[in-house]
Structure formats: C-alpha cells, structure tokens
Amino acid sequence: MGPALLFAPGDRPDRFNKAAERSDAVILDLEDAVAPAAKAQARENMAASTLDPAATMVRINALGTEAARLDLHALALGRFNTIMVAKAADVDAIAALEKYNVVVLCETAAGILAAPALAKLPNVVALMWGAEDLVASLGGSSSRFGAGSSQAGSYRAVATHARSQMLLAAGAAGKVAIDSIYADFADLDGLAAEAEDAVASGFGAKACIHPSQVAVVREAYRPGPAQIAAATELLAAADAAGTGVFAFKGQMVDGPILLHAEQTLRRAAQ
C-alpha cells in the first residue's frame, strides 16, 4: 500500500470513499481521530465499509485497552485483515494477532526500542513511527522546533533518532517502513522536503492527514524523466562493462550505486 496513505476518521463514513479515491490506500482510524463517545459508531462504520481490503488498513487502539478489545471484535465482523496497532511495544501481544497483517505503530520510547523485535515477527508487514506520542512518552512537549528557532519546523534530535532507528529495524527485517505524518497540512513545501527525504532514505510510504498532501507525497516518490534516463543509462553501462566496479562519467560505480538506480526504476514502474 502506498506511497500516499491517507487517514480517515472512523466516525466519518462520508469520507471513506473520498479518501480511497484521493489516495493510494486508506487508514480507517478508530484511535486518535475519534472521540471516546464516537468510537462505538466508528467501529460499526468500519465493519460495514465496502472499501477494498487490499488498499485499506484499520488503526486500532493500543493493545491491552478495552477499546482495542472492542476494535478487534468489530474487525471480526468486517472485511479487513490489515491493521495498524497504535502504541505497539509488546512483542508477544503483536505476535498473538496472527490472523492479521500487522503494521506496528512505534510511537513510544518502548515501541522504538522494541522495533527490531517487532519487525522480525512473521505477521508484521510494516512499521510506522509517530513523533508526538513518542515525545509525550518521554515527558516532552514538542517533536519539532518552534517558529522562533533557527531550526523552525525541523525535528528535534530525539525524534530524528527514533525515525532512523525504526527505519533501520524495518530494513534489517525486510519490512516496509512508513514515515510519520506532517501535521502542518498547510505547509506543502515543508511536506515536500520531508517526503523527498523519506524517499531518499528508504521509506516505502508516507502517511497523510489531509487530501491536499497526497499529491505532494506522490510527486516525491515519482522519479522525474531525468532521473529515469540517468538510471537507465547507468544500468546499461554496467551491463556493457561486465565488471563489479567501473568508471562512468568520471565516477567510480559499484554495487550500491547500481541498487540505487534499480530502486529508481522500480519506483517509476509503480
């Protein structure tokens, strides 16, 4: 699913199909986007939804809570088998969800530290991280520098570290890494920069909270004509060289550089 994943509040069924039309996959949210009093209705909406299960996942509440128990009961009545587990950290609890394809949302200190073990579970298909819940779990107040700072809008060091640690855990286990949301949905330039970094770093998808963000994320993941031409030319030169390392346009090229070119063409094909 991806590269642009769009959250849709479970208590707003009028937005389900719109979200599906405007994104690559929908995350039906039963957790943070839904007030406690509306969660029961959100579960009913999810169970009755006719969205394509291949392009839909359901975010449930943190395991061990009554809300999560009710979420899982409602899921059993519906059509969806891919779930995103909020505040994931308990490896055994995630492993017990063996009937589902699980996206673990590592958004607490415990979750980030458990990411390598979570990524190795056979039912875990992807990992995502969350910045604000992470900082809150540490007793902090904001994951990004404020407007008065010379680094305004940039992540603080702890958030950057967590993002990298989760990406490494996912990559080491061969699982997809999903980059966190960009909360300031009016700042499309900031989103573009962050999405471009996500692509270059190896994230397979990025989550969106507003339809206007989808096109920006897609554009970041879509290689331009010049990138496609350069990757194609480089791989052709590698075939012609027939050696592990060769010179191309004044630079030495080896295996990792060729893998970068292959990734570019793979994204272009998608």
Side-chain angles (χ1 to χ4, degrees), residues 52-149:
D52 180 5
T56 307
M57 68 179 78
V58 179
R59 178 163 75 166
I60 67 171
N61 289 269
L63 296 178
T65 65
E66 176 64 8
R69 186 188 71 79
L70 295 173
D71 292 345
L72 290 169
H73 177 74
L75 274 163
L77 305 176
R79 309 164 60 242
F80 305 115
N81 62 359
T82 299
I83 62 173
M84 176 183 286
V85 178
K87 299 174 181 61
D90 187 329
V91 177
D92 291 337
I94 296 295
L97 299 171
E98 56 186 8
K99 65 179 289 186
Y100 295 105
N101 297 319
V102 181
V103 178
V104 288
L105 182 46
C106 302
E107 52 184 343
T108 63
I112 292 296
L113 293 179
L118 291 168
K120 293 178 182 177
L121 294 175
N123 61 329
V124 168
V125 296
L127 293 84
M128 179 174 159
W129 77 291
E132 297 309 325
D133 279 301
L134 168 66
V135 171
S137 78
L138 297 169
S141 58
S142 176
S143 68
R144 297 181 189 265
F145 290 97
S149 169

Side-chain angles (χ1 to χ4, degrees), residues 182 184-197 212-213 216 220:
Y182 192 84
D184 186 357
F185 59 82
D187 180 16
L188 297 183
D189 289 339
L191 170 64
E194 189 165 287
E196 288 168 8
D197 178 74
S212 66
Q213 296 181 320
V216 177

Side-chain angles (χ1 to χ4, degrees), residues 17 23 45 87 95 121 135 157 159 162 171 209 214 222 226:
N17 288 330
S23 67
N45 297 337
K87 299 174 181 61
L121 294 175
V135 171
I209 57 170
V214 170
R222 181 184 302 114

